[in-house]
Amino acid sequence: MATDETASAANLETLKLSLRIDGETDDGLLKGYLAAAKSFVESGIGSGADVSDFYSQTNVADLFNTAVLALASTYYTYRTSLSAIAAIPVDLTVNSIIGQLRGLYAEQSEVTDDGESN
C-alpha cells in the first residue's frame, strides 16, 4: 500500500485543484473516488511486502500520484456512467502508467535482500 508520504500528492486538495472545484459539496464523493483510484492502481501493480518501499521511491511516486489523480478525475467526470447502462472505459493514461509501474515493480521484485538480481 502507498505510504502517507507518497500518497500526499494525490490528496483531496490536489484533486479539487485539478478538477477546478472550489466548494466542499462533493468532498465526500471525491474522497471515495481517491480511495477507489488508489486501490485500483495498487491492485494493478502489486503491493507485496518484498518491495514495501516501492511506492516511496521518487521515480515511482510521481507516476503513482498521476495515475491516482487521473483515475479519480475520470470517476468524478463520468460519475453517471458508474451507475448507468453505458460505461466509460478507464482512460489510456492510467493504463499506460500502470504498465510502466508494473515493469518497475517487477524489476524491484527480482532483487534479493542482498541487493543482487535473481
Side-chain angles (χ1 to χ4, degrees), residues 12-116:
L12 179 62
E13 181 181 338
T14 307
L15 179 59
K16 287 173 72 170
L17 182 63
S18 71
L19 291 168
R20 295 187 169 109
I21 296 174
D22 293 327
E24 297 176 2
T25 306
D26 289 338
D27 282 5
L29 185 65
L30 293 169
K31 287 178 185 177
Y33 290 154
L34 273 172
K38 286 176 186 175
S39 177
F40 182 91
V41 174
E42 287 175 352
S43 294
I45 299 164
S47 58
D50 55 333
V51 287
S52 58
D53 65 337
F54 177 74
Y55 292 103
S56 62
Q57 297 175 15
T58 305
N59 62 328
V60 171
D62 289 340
L63 287 171
F64 175 78
N65 289 319
T66 299
V68 169
L69 289 171
L71 186 56
S73 295
T74 299
Y75 287 161
Y76 181 79
T77 302
Y78 298 107
R79 60 191 174 272
T80 57
S81 70
L82 296 177
S83 61
I85 295 172
I88 303 295
V90 174
D91 60 47
L92 296 177
T93 302
V94 175
N95 285 340
S96 173
I97 293 172
I98 287 175
Q100 292 175 36
L101 289 171
R102 278 183 185 159
L104 292 171
Y105 186 86
E107 285 177 11
Q108 186 167 337
S109 295
E110 293 175 0
V111 176
T112 64
D113 291 335
D114 298 332
E116 297 175 13

